[in-house]
Structure formats: structure tokens, C-alpha cells
Amino acid sequence: MGFREKFKNADHALTFNDVLLLPGWTTVEPSDAVVGSRASKNVELNVPFISSPMDTVTESEMSIALARHGGLGVLHRNCSVEQEVEIARAVKRAEALIIRDVITVRPGSTVDDLLALMDRHKIHGFPVVNENDSIVGIVTWRDLRLADRSLKVRDVMTKEVITAGENITLEEAKEILHEHRIEKLPIVDGKGRVTGLITMKDITLKGTYPEAIRDEEGRLICAAAVSPFDIERAKALDEYVDIIVTDVAHFHNRNCFEGAGRILKEVSADVVVGNIGTYEAAEDCLTKLEDVAGLRVGIGSGSICTTSVVTKAGAPTLYATSQAADAVRDYGSEVSVIADGGIRNPGDIAVALAVGASCTMMGNVFAGTSESPGRLVAIEGRYYKEYYGMGSAAARQKRFAQDRYSRPSKTVNEGVEGWVPYRGSVSDIVAEFVGGLKAAMGYVGARTIPDMWERARLALVTERGSEEINPHDVILPGSKRP
Ligand code: XMP
């Protein structure tokens, strides 16, 4: 191919700003639309929203909130393996039919130790077990309220513990909790060893969040990011997470494929790979890797990305989604396609779905919520939350300080640091985005997300046209010019 041909053969790397959804004949009212979709081969969500693995976006609070509202959080990896595992455990411990990962204490521990444990795990009661692991008491925050810190657990615990066997039903457990006015019911085996814990809180929560995505044991679904080279992290997380997501800017790379191949062999969680941006990359993921459960697509579109500025390399999320989704369809595969980066509103989500996305991943949108770990700051009377790219100087510095497995393979920063407007709780954002997405589906005439794939048609917008699409010829509050 001559050099000049490269212009002729250049693809149109369209972005969210370049397209509109065409309204179609519809029999669907927005309230009829169903927005459930697949996050990976084995995990179905009730809303197609996933939060980015970034340390200003997703830790346990975000994951818990999103899973309760039908979505999914992907824990960031900008920390040690132990810290990421601890965060995943906190998500899994937030709710359960029967908590299996029960934290117990010894009668000889001090009240002081106990308070530290409560603070660390954010839980308020522990079964007390002896050296044979048999239950001898239970201690909750009520027992500690006025206790001297140097007292021993045996001095303050309740010794007559009400327990139940493995075969208890949830209804029976509820009755016992009610009857005895207690909050926690330890489950024990024939030798009195604690094998689980049923709590009043979990029973109540089950009714409070009907849209929640839970595993077979009633625990919230959780996903976590790993570097494709970090097999140890993937193995350590495998016990606690449902999905492992590789987290690298350009996954279509021999070393990344080799690393992910090892992870895929070693873990039982679903593995989502990415990021990728082309049909060929998706094709290679489907044919050269075994058991991939999803594709994370989009390179350079993120609101904090400078990849395409610094390197001129990129595959905008909308373009990348259509490429990957075509490969998935051509190969008759069931993997999910997660459109990642550049999404600002429900309309962007609707067009991502129109070109084959199963779900969307958002950093900026969720960074502004109260559940994100970023700092809240006031600037000129308005509230903002800190948000920075994982390739930014701030994130890189933190990673190399905390994670001995990280590989500083690049010498340039590919992200920026800044603030996003504070926008309330995750539940508000989910409600707003579900409303907007359902309205878009009503315009298209799509009842479900697979209907969006089939029915949605796009129109291209010119640069002049986009001025007309946005509010114009009015003075908006806060703007300086008409
Ligand atoms: P939004 O637009 O939702 O994008 O803020 C979030 C996605 O951006 C990616 N990401 C980065 N990309 N440099 C990049 O080029 C970075 O520093 C960076 N940090 C995050 C990531 O895919 C995320 O989900």
C-alpha cells in the first residue's frame, strides 16, 4: 500500500459527539423498557452501569452502592494486593444470606483490640470462640459502650449465646431473631464451631434493595482490576470476586496476552480483558485466549485521558464498541462488550448500546458521587470531588509507592488530575441515568438492550449541527455570553 492510500483507507473513528439516535416507529413507552444486561458471561446486571477501577472512583462503598442498585463496581488496583483483597472482602461482607467469612475473637482479647477490629472491618459484633474454635459467647458494640478498654472480652461478652444449625431456613432464623430480640445468630456445626452468621441487618437489606445483584450466597456481586502481569493479585482476589478485569491501556500486546492467558488458567472468576479498540484485537481475544468472559473497549476517550494527545494513538469508545461487538457477533460469542470512557450522560449510553455494547463503564460520572473515595473540596462556593487519571502523575506516584508488582513501563504520563462537580449519591445518578436511557429506548422503539442492538439507527452530526443540538440562543445560568 502506498503512503497516499493510507488516507483513502482511513477509518472514521466516530465519537459520542458525532452521532445521534434516529427516532423510530415505537410501541414502547419508556416505563416498559428493561435495561438489564450482561457484564460478563456469567454475571447479569439490572442496570448496564459499571464504575471504573480508579482510586478516585471505586472502593468498597462504590461497589456496594452500585451492586445494591443493580450495577457493578470494579475495584481499583492502585494499592497493595492485601489492601485490594481487604476491600473486596468488605464488599462481600456487606450482605449475605449467611455470612461465611465470619470474623471471630478470643475471650482473652481486650476491649481495646475489639474496638480496633470493629473500626477496621466496619462491623459491630463478633462470635467469641475458644482454642478449639467452639463458640463460648458473643460480643457486640452494646456490650462495649461503657466498658473499660483494658477489660477482656470474656468480662463483657454475652455468655448464653443463641445459635442455630446449618439446616435452619431464613424464615426460622427471622423468628428466632425476633423472639429473642437479637441482631445476630451464629450458625454452628455439631462441635459448636462457627460456620456462619445470620444477621437481622442482612434480612432487612434483602427487602430494601430489590434491584441488587447478589451471588448464590446472597452476597453483593463484586469485580476487581488487576494488571495482566499480576497473577498473584488475581489469585488472591479470586476467592472474593465474581469478575476479574484486566486493567491496561493497550491489551492487544503479546506480553499482555501471555499474562492474561496465565490468569485465565488460574482463576475461577469470570475474566474480562481490555482495553482494546479494534475488530482485530477483539478477534484475537476470542480466538487466542481461552474462556474470556468479556471485552473492555475504548482507548483514549476517557475524560481524564491524554493518551491520544501524547501519543496520537487511540480508538474512541463508540468506534471501539462497534468494532468489538461485530467480532463478538461474527464469532457467535456470548462475551460482553463493555464500552469504557467518555460517557457523560444517558444519551451517550444509548448510542454505545446502539453499536453493540452490553454495558458501559464510567469514571467521571461516578467520581462525583458521595460514595467515591475522592476528596470533597469547595471551590468558590461549589462542591467538587477530586478525580484523576490512572496514568496521571498522582496515580502513578501512589502506585509505585504502594504496589511492588507494578511495572513502570512508560516514561510519560497519560492522564490529568482535576475535579468534577459533586452530584449526590449513586442512587440519584442511577435513577437519573435509568430514566434517560429508558426515554432513549422509547424513541428507538427498543424494549430491551438486544432490541437496541437490532433497531437503533444512527445519524451523523456535523460540527455546525452539534451547535444546534445543544442549547443555543439563550443565556443560561452561570454562562458569560449568550
Ligand atoms: P471517563 O470518561 O468515564 O473515563 O472519566 C474513565 C476511563 O478512562 C480510562 N482511564 C484512563 N485513560 N489515561 C488514559 O488514557 C489515564 O490516566 C486514565 N485513567 C483512566 C479508563 O478506561 C477508565 O475506565
Side-chain angles (χ1 to χ4, degrees), residues 191-234:
K191 293 191 171 140
R193 287 176 302 211
V194 179
T195 57
L197 187 69
I198 297 180
T199 72
M200 198 62 200
K201 187 182 121 219
D202 286 335
I203 292 176
T204 319
L205 283 174
K206 207 166 166 327
T208 314
Y209 298 106
E211 293 295 319
I213 308 297
R214 300 187 173 96
D215 64 17
E216 288 157 0
E217 294 175 30
R219 301 174 304 172
L220 295 170
I221 290 284
C222 179
V226 302
S227 146
F229 309 114
D230 202 345
I231 181 89
E232 293 312 321
R233 185 179 290 254

XYZ file of all heavy atoms in Angstrom, residues 191-234:
335
model
N -19.893 -29.692 66.540
C -18.924 -29.491 67.620
C -18.955 -28.067 68.170
O -18.042 -27.652 68.895
C -17.524 -29.807 67.111
C -17.378 -31.282 66.786
C -15.943 -31.647 66.534
C -15.820 -33.151 66.445
N -14.916 -33.590 65.418
N -19.967 -27.323 67.783
C -20.077 -25.955 68.291
C -19.154 -24.976 67.581
O -18.960 -23.842 68.027
N -18.565 -25.394 66.444
C -17.678 -24.469 65.712
C -18.503 -23.576 64.796
O -19.438 -24.054 64.133
C -16.659 -25.251 64.886
C -15.588 -25.890 65.759
C -14.673 -26.713 64.923
N -15.420 -27.748 64.209
C -14.928 -28.943 63.885
N -13.682 -29.237 64.190
N -15.663 -29.815 63.236
N -18.123 -22.300 64.772
C -18.909 -21.335 63.993
C -18.667 -21.553 62.497
O -17.526 -21.497 62.036
C -18.506 -19.888 64.370
C -19.301 -18.875 63.557
C -18.716 -19.649 65.854
N -19.758 -21.810 61.761
C -19.612 -21.997 60.311
C -20.295 -20.871 59.536
O -20.171 -20.795 58.318
C -20.235 -23.341 59.873
O -21.609 -23.332 60.291
C -19.514 -24.516 60.487
N -21.029 -20.011 60.260
C -21.698 -18.918 59.561
C -22.368 -17.980 60.547
O -22.330 -18.206 61.766
N -22.963 -16.923 59.992
C -23.624 -15.934 60.842
C -24.797 -15.334 60.056
O -24.622 -14.915 58.906
C -22.613 -14.826 61.199
C -23.046 -13.773 62.211
C -23.171 -14.394 63.603
C -22.008 -12.651 62.267
N -25.978 -15.351 60.681
C -27.132 -14.698 60.042
C -27.406 -13.427 60.830
O -27.420 -13.460 62.065
C -28.373 -15.616 60.069
C -28.088 -16.876 59.239
C -29.605 -14.890 59.554
C -29.248 -17.865 59.187
N -27.596 -12.306 60.128
C -27.838 -11.057 60.860
C -29.181 -10.447 60.439
O -29.636 -10.624 59.307
C -26.732 -10.005 60.610
O -26.887 -9.517 59.284
C -25.343 -10.573 60.787
N -29.764 -9.730 61.373
C -31.031 -9.042 61.121
C -30.838 -8.023 59.997
O -31.709 -7.837 59.159
C -31.450 -8.334 62.417
C -32.882 -7.951 62.450
S -33.902 -9.435 62.353
C -35.410 -8.736 61.830
N -29.658 -7.401 60.011
C -29.375 -6.365 59.015
C -29.486 -6.952 57.599
O -30.097 -6.372 56.716
C -27.961 -5.811 59.256
C -27.626 -4.638 58.399
C -26.218 -4.155 58.644
C -25.452 -4.222 57.359
N -24.098 -4.637 57.424
N -28.897 -8.134 57.402
C -28.930 -8.745 56.070
C -30.346 -9.095 55.648
O -30.716 -8.945 54.487
C -28.066 -10.013 56.052
C -26.587 -9.657 56.049
O -26.257 -8.550 55.601
O -25.785 -10.471 56.515
N -31.136 -9.570 56.615
C -32.515 -9.936 56.280
C -33.281 -8.688 55.864
O -34.018 -8.675 54.887
C -33.182 -10.651 57.480
C -32.505 -12.012 57.677
C -34.687 -10.793 57.273
C -32.983 -12.808 58.865
N -33.056 -7.595 56.577
C -33.753 -6.347 56.249
C -33.278 -5.808 54.895
O -34.078 -5.354 54.071
C -33.461 -5.282 57.331
O -33.494 -5.921 58.589
C -34.452 -4.152 57.290
N -31.956 -5.871 54.653
C -31.407 -5.306 53.417
C -31.948 -5.995 52.173
O -32.115 -5.375 51.129
C -29.880 -5.427 53.421
C -29.146 -4.412 54.289
C -27.663 -4.734 54.332
C -29.366 -2.998 53.760
N -32.207 -7.280 52.301
C -32.693 -8.044 51.160
C -33.981 -7.426 50.617
O -34.179 -7.339 49.419
C -32.934 -9.488 51.592
C -32.795 -10.464 50.481
C -32.710 -11.844 51.062
C -32.900 -12.933 50.062
N -33.740 -12.796 48.962
N -34.836 -6.953 51.518
C -36.071 -6.318 51.079
C -35.855 -4.880 50.648
O -36.595 -4.342 49.838
N -34.809 -4.234 51.174
C -34.602 -2.820 50.890
C -34.105 -2.567 49.465
O -34.383 -1.535 48.881
C -33.563 -2.230 51.875
O -33.905 -2.681 53.173
C -33.542 -0.720 51.855
N -33.331 -3.489 48.921
C -32.744 -3.274 47.595
C -33.184 -4.375 46.625
O -32.424 -5.300 46.343
C -31.212 -3.248 47.697
C -30.698 -2.135 48.565
C -30.187 -2.392 49.827
C -30.728 -0.814 48.120
C -29.720 -1.362 50.631
C -30.273 0.212 48.912
C -29.767 -0.069 50.169
O -29.312 0.951 50.955
N -34.402 -4.267 46.105
C -34.903 -5.345 45.249
C -34.121 -5.499 43.946
O -34.150 -6.555 43.326
C -36.355 -4.929 44.975
C -36.415 -3.471 45.266
C -35.376 -3.182 46.284
N -33.411 -4.424 43.522
C -32.673 -4.500 42.253
C -31.265 -5.052 42.435
O -30.503 -5.193 41.470
C -32.542 -3.091 41.633
C -33.845 -2.472 41.178
C -34.460 -3.255 40.039
O -33.727 -3.683 39.142
O -35.688 -3.455 40.070
N -30.871 -5.321 43.676
C -29.468 -5.677 43.947
C -29.021 -6.919 43.181
O -29.821 -7.828 42.930
C -29.283 -5.890 45.440
N -27.733 -6.931 42.840
C -27.159 -8.082 42.148
C -26.372 -8.864 43.188
O -25.369 -8.374 43.717
C -26.206 -7.627 41.014
C -26.905 -6.628 40.085
C -25.702 -8.822 40.217
C -28.089 -7.173 39.353
N -26.835 -10.084 43.461
C -26.201 -10.880 44.507
C -25.759 -12.232 43.953
O -26.305 -12.709 42.955
C -27.178 -11.099 45.663
C -27.661 -9.811 46.314
C -28.498 -10.107 47.556
N -28.839 -8.896 48.274
C -29.981 -8.229 48.134
N -30.889 -8.635 47.290
N -30.203 -7.135 48.848
N -24.780 -12.833 44.629
C -24.339 -14.172 44.226
C -25.231 -15.226 44.890
O -26.197 -14.882 45.578
C -22.845 -14.370 44.520
C -22.525 -14.308 46.009
O -23.454 -14.444 46.825
O -21.348 -14.127 46.360
N -24.881 -16.493 44.700
C -25.751 -17.561 45.227
C -25.874 -17.512 46.745
O -26.846 -17.994 47.310
C -25.174 -18.932 44.867
C -25.305 -19.261 43.412
C -24.285 -20.292 42.985
O -23.486 -20.731 43.833
O -24.295 -20.627 41.794
N -24.859 -16.948 47.391
C -24.905 -16.898 48.850
C -25.516 -15.597 49.369
O -25.410 -15.275 50.548
C -23.504 -17.078 49.417
C -22.957 -18.458 49.142
C -21.520 -18.618 49.592
O -21.131 -17.949 50.568
O -20.796 -19.379 48.957
N -26.112 -14.841 48.446
C -26.777 -13.608 48.852
C -25.818 -12.448 49.056
O -26.207 -11.389 49.544
N -24.539 -12.630 48.646
C -23.574 -11.530 48.807
C -23.589 -10.659 47.557
O -23.905 -11.142 46.459
C -22.168 -12.099 49.017
C -22.085 -12.997 50.239
C -20.733 -13.655 50.347
N -20.391 -14.403 49.152
C -19.203 -14.952 48.936
N -18.245 -14.829 49.826
N -18.959 -15.608 47.814
N -23.237 -9.395 47.715
C -23.252 -8.494 46.561
C -22.163 -8.915 45.574
O -21.072 -9.355 45.977
C -23.015 -7.057 47.020
C -24.113 -6.481 47.916
C -23.677 -5.154 48.514
C -25.422 -6.306 47.134
N -22.486 -8.730 44.291
C -21.509 -9.056 43.244
C -20.372 -8.032 43.280
O -20.596 -6.849 43.503
C -22.225 -9.013 41.868
C -23.193 -10.174 41.740
C -21.247 -8.970 40.716
C -22.550 -11.504 41.458
N -19.174 -8.513 43.059
C -18.018 -7.621 43.132
C -17.026 -7.957 42.013
O -16.818 -9.135 41.692
C -17.366 -7.815 44.502
S -15.901 -6.826 44.760
N -16.422 -6.922 41.444
C -15.381 -7.116 40.421
C -14.141 -6.359 40.861
O -14.238 -5.399 41.629
C -15.864 -6.600 39.067
N -12.981 -6.797 40.369
C -11.747 -6.113 40.757
C -10.760 -6.103 39.598
O -10.723 -7.037 38.790
C -11.124 -6.808 41.963
N -9.969 -5.041 39.551
C -8.992 -4.889 38.469
C -7.641 -5.467 38.871
O -7.255 -5.414 40.040
C -8.831 -3.403 38.146
N -6.955 -6.018 37.869
C -5.573 -6.469 38.076
C -4.765 -6.090 36.838
O -5.323 -5.932 35.753
C -5.465 -8.006 38.259
C -6.303 -8.495 39.441
C -5.859 -8.763 36.996
N -3.465 -5.981 37.015
C -2.607 -5.861 35.843
C -2.569 -7.242 35.197
O -2.612 -8.254 35.909
C -1.199 -5.451 36.308
O -0.240 -6.042 35.468
N -2.463 -7.330 33.863
C -2.419 -8.670 33.264
C -1.187 -9.459 33.704
O -1.127 -10.670 33.522
C -2.410 -8.400 31.758
C -2.279 -6.946 31.578
C -2.481 -6.242 32.874
N -0.216 -8.758 34.287
C 1.014 -9.456 34.696
C 0.963 -9.906 36.154
O 1.894 -10.543 36.628
C 2.232 -8.537 34.513
C 2.277 -7.934 33.143
C 2.131 -6.572 32.949
C 2.450 -8.752 32.035
C 2.139 -6.029 31.682
C 2.468 -8.217 30.756
C 2.306 -6.849 30.578
N -0.108 -9.540 36.851
C -0.117 -9.750 38.302
C -0.938 -10.985 38.682
O -2.014 -10.890 39.260
C -0.677 -8.496 38.985
C -0.243 -8.403 40.427
O 0.234 -9.419 40.962
O -0.405 -7.313 41.021
N -0.378 -12.122 38.379
C -1.077 -13.386 38.637
C -1.337 -13.582 40.133
O -2.374 -14.095 40.531
C -0.272 -14.572 38.036
C -0.976 -15.908 38.250
C 1.134 -14.671 38.568
C -1.911 -16.279 37.197
N -0.409 -13.127 40.970
C -0.586 -13.320 42.418
C -1.801 -12.542 42.912
O -2.580 -13.016 43.725
C 0.664 -12.870 43.195
C 1.893 -13.735 42.936
C 1.584 -15.233 43.057
O 0.822 -15.602 43.958
O 2.078 -16.009 42.220
N -1.951 -11.319 42.430
C -3.102 -10.493 42.822
C -4.399 -11.170 42.357
O -5.375 -11.255 43.098
C -2.966 -9.100 42.199
C -4.026 -8.115 42.625
C -3.798 -6.760 41.970
N -2.637 -6.082 42.488
C -2.658 -5.039 43.322
N -3.809 -4.533 43.707
N -1.544 -4.477 43.736
N -4.378 -11.654 41.108
C -5.592 -12.291 40.573
C -5.962 -13.508 41.421
O -7.135 -13.708 41.760
C -5.364 -12.691 39.117
